[in-house]
């Protein structure tokens, strides 16, 4: 039976859910696309939370991080979302300004983050450093700085900072490393850029297909190839300027009709059952290290000598300036 015929059969004969399932409270979580793929954290998180919550946890893919926020702005207080999962510290100030989010009720969990965390609204669930990932068999001597990359003929794929949190992270990475020379750096990188994709998944797919020498991703991305595929050919290039830190977060919508359930999910997010899933599905460092630690293989990853990050308010202030510089440089 073809896929279309299966779909037609389902339309003609809708499945009747058991009364008990229909009566369960529903918690709707907007998140980014890769989180709910079969290989992402979503399926395991859903099964583990539904085992204890007496609820129906529903993930809704709503694009990459910046697209998540744009969708919420459009939907406003009428949104069906109870939780948004997938913003980062470069977007939290803008998200808070919408007035759509509420403070959490977690207290002060004992996070394992490289920064002090005391945000009353946004709950971190993982973190990592942006990096350019390459294939050692195709690029034995990768550039070790933005200036070296710009001076080379190495091709790269990056993500759109207007839609993607990694894309925005790169924008702020360049700005943090070269506050007075960002335009010059982008002009130098312009001819290295093969394409700018809407999100991370498209960019990484192009890299794996051999369309570029390097892709904007994370220092932790090679762990996927090593652990899941037994492939040690991928590595993250260490840049002398340092690497920009990303902390991914979730928050409860003020308009939720399930505030207690939403708070239970946020508390679950920093529990062992959620955090132990992160390293080998989202391929990031967990915000709270589970008792078993991170998997073997993470010890082979590069550790940046210098961490770069703007505080949330400053990131929001600099974002438009950095975006204008990026657009100007790439349009020439």
């Amino acid at each position: 039976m073809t896929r279309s015929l299966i779909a037609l059969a389902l339309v003609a004969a809708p499945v009747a859910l058991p009364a008990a399932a229909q009566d369960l409270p529903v918690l709707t979580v907007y998140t980014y696309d890769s989180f709910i793929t079969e290989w992402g954290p979503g399926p395991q998180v859903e099964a583990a939370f539904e085992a204890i919550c007496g609820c129906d946890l529903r993930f809704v893919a709503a694009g990459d991080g910046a697209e998540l926020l744009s969708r919420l702005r459009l939907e406003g207080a009428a949104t069906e979302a109870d939780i948004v999962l997938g913003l980062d510290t470069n977007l939290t100030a803008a998200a808070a300004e919408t007035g759509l989010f509420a403070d959490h009720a977690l207290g002060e969990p004992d996070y394992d983050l490289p920064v002090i965390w005391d945000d009353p609204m946004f709950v971190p669930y993982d973190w990592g450093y942006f990096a350019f990932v390459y294939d050692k068999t195709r690029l034995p001597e990768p550039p070790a700085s933005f200036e070296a990359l710009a001076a080379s003929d190495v091709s790269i794929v990056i993500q759109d900072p207007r839609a993607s949190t990694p894309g925005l992270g790169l924008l702020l990475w360049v700005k943090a490393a070269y506050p007075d020379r960002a335009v010059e750096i982008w002009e130098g990188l312009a001819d290295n850029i093969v394409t700018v994709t809407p999100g991370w998944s498209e960019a990484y797919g192009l890299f794996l297909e051999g369309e570029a020498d390097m892709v904007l991703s994370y220092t932790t991305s090679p762990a996927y190839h090593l652990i899941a595929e037994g492939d040690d050919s991928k590595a993250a290039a260490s840049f002398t300027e340092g690497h920009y830190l990303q902390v991914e977060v979730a928050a409860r919508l003020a308009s939720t009709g399930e505030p207690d359930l939403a708070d239970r999910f946020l508390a679950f997010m920093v529990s062992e059952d959620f955090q132990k899933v992160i390293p080998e599905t989202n391929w990031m460092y967990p915000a709270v290290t589970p008792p078993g630690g991170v998997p073997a293989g993470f010890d082979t990853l590069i550790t940046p000598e210098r961490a770069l990050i703007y505080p949330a308010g400053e990131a929001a202030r600099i974002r438009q300036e950095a975006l204008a510089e990026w657009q100007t440089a790439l349009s020439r």
Side-chain angles (χ1 to χ4, degrees), residues 27-278:
L27 187 73
T28 301
V29 179
Y30 282 10
T31 187
Y32 47 84
D33 300 349
S34 62
F35 192 89
I36 58 175
T37 58
E38 60 180 320
W39 59 85
Q44 292 187 54
V45 168
E46 181 178 358
F49 188 61
E50 288 185 344
I52 61 172
C53 72
C55 72
D56 180 5
L57 177 62
R58 296 181 184 176
F59 286 115
V60 175
D64 214 331
E67 292 175 300
L68 282 172
L69 184 55
S70 297
R71 177 165 173 172
L72 282 173
R73 283 185 170 125
L74 288 173
E75 295 180 349
T79 182
E80 294 181 355
D82 300 296
I83 296 277
V84 170
L85 183 157
L87 304 179
D88 70 5
T89 44
N90 296 326
L91 293 171
T92 52
E97 287 177 0
T98 65
L100 295 172
F101 294 91
D103 286 353
H104 61 72
L106 263 64
E108 298 181 357
D110 190 12
Y111 296 117
D112 296 304
L113 298 170
V115 292
I116 295 172
W117 195 269
D118 55 5
D119 193 308
M121 186 173 290
F122 296 96
V123 179
Y125 61 90
D126 68 17
W127 62 277
Y129 295 101
F130 294 115
F132 283 96
V133 172
Y134 66 100
D135 186 322
K136 292 184 284 187
T137 64
R138 304 198 321 248
L139 187 66
E141 295 184 11
S145 69
F146 283 111
E147 289 184 315
L149 175 58
S152 75
D153 58 0
V154 171
S155 58
I156 60 175
V157 182
I158 64 173
Q159 296 92 54
D160 191 330
R162 295 163 295 187
S164 159
T165 53
L168 179 57
L170 175 60
L171 205 67
L172 298 180
W173 183 6
V174 171
K175 188 67 175 173
Y178 297 95
D180 300 322
R181 297 178 53 209
V183 172
E184 175 188 340
I185 296 298
W186 279 116
E187 288 176 343
L189 293 173
D191 61 358
N192 298 91
I193 300 171
V194 173
T195 190
V196 180
T197 63
W200 175 90
S201 299
E202 301 95 325
Y204 210 83
L206 289 172
F207 164 69
L208 293 179
E209 292 168 7
E211 296 296 326
D213 298 317
M214 304 177 85
V215 60
L216 174 64
S217 192
Y218 298 88
T219 60
T220 45
S221 299
Y224 163 76
H225 300 284
L226 182 64
I227 296 171
E229 300 179 331
D231 173 9
D232 66 354
S233 67
K234 308 299 187 298
S238 180
F239 273 23
T240 55
E241 297 98 333
H243 290 247
Y244 200 86
L245 173 66
Q246 181 188 46
V247 180
E248 293 193 295
V249 302
R252 170 167 75 86
L253 273 295
S255 58
T256 176
E258 298 287 349
D260 293 339
L261 189 55
D263 281 336
R264 285 185 64 190
F265 181 78
L266 292 176
F268 172 75
M269 244 179 42
V270 296
S271 73
E272 179 182 353
D273 283 343
F274 184 106
Q275 291 291 306
K276 69 182 182 184
V277 171
I278 291 298

